[in-house]
Amino acid sequence: MRNKFKIAFILVLYMLPIFLLGAVSTVIRNKAQLLSTIAYTDQVNTFGSFLQTFGLFKLTTSTAPGSPVDGQFYFSNVDGRLYRRYGSNWITDPYAYQRNLIINGEFIVGQRNTIFTSVASAAYTLDRWQYNKVGSSLTMTHDVSQSSDVPTLAESGTRFRNSLLIDCTASDSTISSDNANEIIQKIEGYRWVLGDQKELVLSFWCKHTKTGTYSVAIINSAANRSCIGTYTQTTTNTWEKKTITFPASPSAGSWNYDTGIGAYIVFAIAVGSTYTSSTTGSYISSEIHANNSQVNACDSTSNNFMLTGVQLEVGTNPTEFEQLNFAQTLSQCQRYYCKSFSYVTPPAQNTGISPGLEWTLASGANVNATISFPVEMVKVPTITTYSRDAATSNWTGTGTPACSTGSISTRRAELYGSGATDAAYYGVHWAANAEI
């Protein structure tokens, strides 16, 4: 019996250091994961020094450590982020979720469609991206589509899935002074506030036919403050990685911090002199869309304008593109637009498609249904209804009662109809638009 106790005691003494080492490693690992979500404090400094003792962690005021090794961490007290060395890049801690202020920057979601021909001004294309023309004498025309032409994994370090392709189908060789052509994302105020009055860095991949200088603008909701950054397409029709830093936005001017437009992110394709300036890298008190050196990328029907991996984040050092899965990106987009149709079906009248129809049982001559949106919408949406079997917005069933809307909130809407057959089933498709 004594020998058994002695053996057990020896085993405990032998295993205890291993157990303690594993526990300490777990604590260190969990603590490092949490550092990206807390402020820079003396406690962080103390723990950082502890990690630094083991060569796991580096504290810095503004720059990354010299001669970094793969897997090394450092905490920046400039942007409050934990960075990890991944190959030849510094990336933020993977637990720093949704650091990208841009939605659908990989262009993987297209609820309305994935191909848009002769796009009208102010029309939405792939989700959250609006095609825009300013002025009355513009002659350019574009087709916009979701493309599978993307930077390779070897050159980008990311397996991008899609890109945005803007194909010039009618040219405009002379851009009048008050004209502009651009692709825009409007950032909601609740989202913009995360980067308000902070330095921001925009990173993206571009592939443009026309080489030369291009511009990206940040413009506030009232269009009385704007800042321009520039980049250069060096080689025609070649994917190139670009980075633009923007200074902290000013407190002056009118900025929205709720469900309105917090800021416009404007990628210029062609811009007239009324909306250009020689000032870059600082905010000015007017609406400016591009630098004076902006090329006219609408001067030939051979011109294509392509983007992917668009990311706007706090700080001055761009991180690896935050690649969300499709369901996450779709959910973000549905705050601004959603539909009853299956994802692959563009909303339209007379599609003959039943899946997704909002069915209800008539009571007497009345049809009543309450539809629920998949997520809380940014504002009370506009509802458009679609008939399955006719080029109308009426209910599908016995007869075709007209469909009208009743009470609408950010979570649900009521649909009505009259002239129905009692106890008969009726269905209708719908789309809810709450774009800001």
Side-chain angles (χ1 to χ4, degrees), residues 17-342:
I18 298 175
F19 172 77
L20 291 175
L21 181 61
V24 169
S25 298
T26 300
V27 170
I28 291 174
R29 196 161 51 245
N30 292 340
K31 186 72 173 181
Q33 292 171 356
L34 291 173
L35 283 174
S36 62
T37 62
I38 60 178
Y40 184 80
T41 64
D42 288 340
Q43 287 180 327
V44 175
N45 188 34
T46 300
F47 187 73
S49 298
F50 171 70
L51 291 179
Q52 191 172 359
T53 302
F54 292 93
L56 299 173
F57 198 66
K58 173 75 175 178
L59 291 171
T60 181
T61 56
S62 59
T63 59
S67 304
V69 296
D70 194 42
Q72 184 179 12
F73 288 88
Y74 86 96
F75 185 83
S76 171
N77 63 6
V78 173
D79 59 16
R81 289 181 175 177
L82 179 68
Y83 288 85
R84 179 172 65 86
R85 190 70 176 180
Y86 179 76
S88 59
N89 300 306
W90 286 105
I91 64 171
T92 56
D93 178 62
Y95 293 87
Y97 176 59
Q98 292 192 10
R99 63 187 179 274
N100 190 0
L101 299 180
I102 296 292
I103 294 175
N104 200 26
E106 196 184 352
F107 304 99
I108 61 175
V109 174
Q111 293 185 85
R112 296 170 178 86
N113 208 335
T114 56
I115 300 174
F116 307 84
T117 57
S118 300
V119 184
S121 179
Y124 277 87
T125 59
L126 301 180
D127 278 57
R128 303 297 300 124
W129 292 97
Q130 185 181 40
Y131 175 84
N132 193 45
K133 293 180 180 180
V134 178
S136 57
S137 59
L138 296 158
T139 62
M140 80 282 287
T141 302
H142 288 98
D143 292 344
V144 178
S145 62
Q146 183 186 68
S147 174
S148 59
D149 181 354
V150 295
T152 66
L153 177 62
E155 66 184 333
S156 68
T158 300
R159 190 175 294 282
F160 287 114
R161 292 161 286 185
N162 292 110
S163 64
L164 177 74
L165 168 60
I166 302 176
D167 176 17
C168 186
T169 55
S171 63
D172 192 341
S173 58
T174 304
I175 304 299
S176 299
S177 60
D178 62 345
N179 288 173
N181 183 217
E182 52 215 9
I183 190 79
I184 296 173
Q185 180 156 147
K186 302 171 185 175
I187 300 178
E188 181 187 342
Y190 278 130
R191 197 173 183 89
W192 171 253
V193 74
L194 301 175
D196 182 60
Q197 297 183 42
K198 298 175 183 176
E199 288 183 294
L200 299 174
V201 59
L202 177 71
S203 56
F204 56 95
W205 286 82
C206 62
K207 181 180 179 180
H208 308 329
T209 302
K210 183 154 188 173
T211 59
T213 301
Y214 290 80
S215 306
V216 183
I218 296 179
I219 306 174
N220 70 343
S221 56
N224 56 19
R225 294 294 185 279
S226 55
C227 183
I228 305 301
T230 61
Y231 66 97
T232 301
Q233 178 76 39
T234 304
T235 306
T236 184
N237 292 327
T238 301
W239 283 110
E240 298 175 357
K241 175 72 176 290
K242 306 300 176 184
T243 298
I244 302 173
T245 57
F246 290 92
S249 55
S251 58
S254 300
W255 299 86
N256 184 288
Y257 304 121
D258 49 41
T259 56
I261 299 170
Y264 298 86
I265 307 302
V266 180
F267 283 83
I269 304 173
V271 180
S273 60
T274 299
Y275 298 104
T276 63
S277 171
S278 60
T279 301
T280 59
S282 61
Y283 279 88
I284 58 178
S285 303
S286 59
E287 180 184 352
I288 298 298
H289 295 209
N291 183 263
N292 291 339
S293 58
Q294 166 73 34
V295 302
N296 175 9
C298 301
D299 62 357
S300 169
T301 54
S302 298
N303 290 347
N304 288 336
F305 182 99
M306 302 183 72
L307 295 171
T308 195
V310 183
Q311 180 156 292
L312 181 66
E313 58 189 312
V314 174
T316 57
N317 298 315
T319 64
E320 183 182 33
F321 180 73
E322 183 181 36
Q323 196 168 41
L324 305 183
N325 64 43
F326 179 83
Q328 291 169 317
T329 306
L330 176 61
S331 180
Q332 288 182 334
C333 295
Q334 286 173 330
R335 179 166 169 79
Y336 309 92
Y337 181 89
C338 58
K339 62 182 183 177
S340 62
F341 295 89
S342 63

Side-chain angles (χ1 to χ4, degrees), residues 1-10:
M1 183 66 70
R2 284 183 181 177
N3 289 336
K4 289 182 179 180
F5 278 118
K6 186 181 296 185
I7 293 172
F9 181 71
I10 292 172

